[in-house]
Every structure is written in structure tokens, then in C-alpha cells.
Amino acid sequence: MKKVLCCLLILIIFAALTGCKRYESSEISLHDVYLDATFELTDQQEKELLKLLNKAKWEYSITKTAYDYEFVLDDGRNLRYSSFAGLFNDKEGNRHMELTKKQKKYVDSLIMELSKVQIEASDMKLNQDSTKQCVNVTKEQMQDIVNIWNASDWDLDHYGGRYDYWFVLETEQFILYDTESGVFHYVGRTMTVSNEQRQQINAFIEQLFAE
């Protein structure tokens, strides 16, 4: 009997030391590492996220996976999230969790709902990959394309496809563009324009490099 009680005591102590307390927070914010911006979750969003975190299967170790988002709880804990791997790291709790496809889809959609792409029209540089040529584009010239970027729905996707041009923003971030597919890639997000928009953008680019 004493051995059983001793084993139970050890298990209780181990659970306490490994930080397996439930996630409870009245305020959660999302930090977008790429955009260096912070967004506040609504009460309903917090409730759904906490439900996922508390029901998930955690492994007691920290991975070296790079992260692009961070959920900050009001108790001081930071949950680092890799949208590429679909993985959470809880450094304070010394544990990590790999999401299922369904869980990852939910977390990614939550991030996209909170972290909307908003790019300010400004003077930019446009580079052509094949010739390594670069042209300057004025704020006024860029306005129509910026409007398309800001009005479109971007998907959380680490694009590995082809591109033949890239825009350089004032922040020195790149927006890659493929003239064949009409796909833009920006800070871990992708967006595909309509065929009509693609033709307009391609004509605009051709004109810039013809001048």
C-alpha cells in the first residue's frame, strides 16, 4: 500500500513540474512575427482556441521548429506556432503539440481572420528575375495593384512555386509574383488574382520594362 501511495505521489509531483495545468485566459493576443503586428482575439475565439489547446495531445519536449506566430496568454505564457509545420511549442510548459489536419485548418483560418493583409501604397521597386533588371514604381502607379492586394483573401501558405517578378516594399519585404498563374506570395501567404486582373497586371509590368 505504501508503495502504491508513493508511486501516486511521484506522478502528482511530476505532473506539477511538467506544467500540465490547463490553459485558462481571459485575454489572448496573436503576434504576427512577419508583419510585427499584434491582434486581439474575441471572447468566442478565445473560448474555441482554449478548448483546442486543453483537449489536444501534448508531448513533453520542445522542438527547434521555426515559428511565425505567437499566441500570448494573460498569464504570461507564450505559445509559439509554426504554420508551416502545424505545430505549437509551449516553452514555459516544456511541451509541444502537432496539430491534426482539422486542427491546423482551424488555427490557420483563425490567424487569417485576425491578421489581414494591409499594404500601404508607396514607391516600390520591381525586379525581373530572368534579367535581374529593376525599375522604380511610383506610389501612384502602384495604387491599383495595392488595392487588389488589400481587397483579396490571402491563404496561409508557404509558397514554393515559381515566380518571375518581385516587388520590394518600403519595409524591404518582398512580394513575389508569377505572371503565368497570377499568384502572389507575401510573408507566408499566397493569393491568386482573377484572369482579368492577371492580364491587367502583366500588361502594366510589360509597360514598365518597355520604357
Side-chain angles (χ1 to χ4, degrees), residues 47-66:
K47 182 179 178 180
E48 292 174 355
L49 180 62
L50 290 172
K51 182 179 179 181
L52 182 151
L53 296 173
N54 287 321
K55 285 190 173 183
K57 181 181 178 181
W58 292 83
E59 300 284 342
Y60 283 95
S61 63
I62 296 295
T63 74
K64 295 182 179 180
T65 309

Side-chain angles (χ1 to χ4, degrees), residues 1-31:
M1 186 65 180
K2 288 184 178 180
K3 289 184 177 180
V4 174
L5 291 174
C6 184
C7 289
L8 287 173
L9 181 60
I10 290 172
L11 288 173
I12 292 170
I13 294 173
F14 176 78
L17 291 176
T18 51
C20 62
K21 75 173 185 176
R22 288 175 56 81
Y23 295 101
E24 296 177 354
S25 179
S26 59
E27 190 173 310
I28 302 177
S29 60
L30 169 70
H31 179 67

Side-chain angles (χ1 to χ4, degrees), residues 64-125:
K64 295 182 179 180
T65 309
Y67 66 96
D68 42 2
Y69 298 94
E70 193 170 28
F71 288 92
V72 182
L73 282 63
D74 60 4
D75 63 2
R77 283 188 287 183
N78 296 341
L79 302 179
R80 294 174 175 177
Y81 177 66
S82 166
S83 62
F84 178 76
L87 182 143
F88 275 106
N89 267 315
D90 179 354
K91 188 175 181 180
E92 289 78 13
N94 189 37
R95 58 184 184 173
H96 73 276
M97 170 184 54
E98 294 186 29
L99 300 178
T100 64
K101 288 183 179 180
K102 183 178 180 180
Q103 291 170 333
K104 184 179 186 302
K105 183 178 180 180
Y106 163 72
V107 175
D108 290 354
S109 64
L110 173 61
I111 289 172
M112 287 294 90
E113 186 177 345
L114 291 165
S115 181
K116 296 287 187 182
V117 170
Q118 287 296 316
I119 299 168
E120 290 187 15
S122 63
D123 294 344
M124 299 183 190
K125 294 183 182 297

Side-chain angles (χ1 to χ4, degrees), residues 26-49:
S26 59
E27 190 173 310
I28 302 177
S29 60
L30 169 70
H31 179 67
D32 186 321
V33 175
Y34 283 127
L35 298 179
D36 191 22
T38 301
F39 310 89
E40 299 297 327
L41 277 69
T42 65
D43 291 343
Q44 184 60 33
Q45 289 169 336
E46 289 175 3
K47 182 179 178 180
E48 292 174 355
L49 180 62

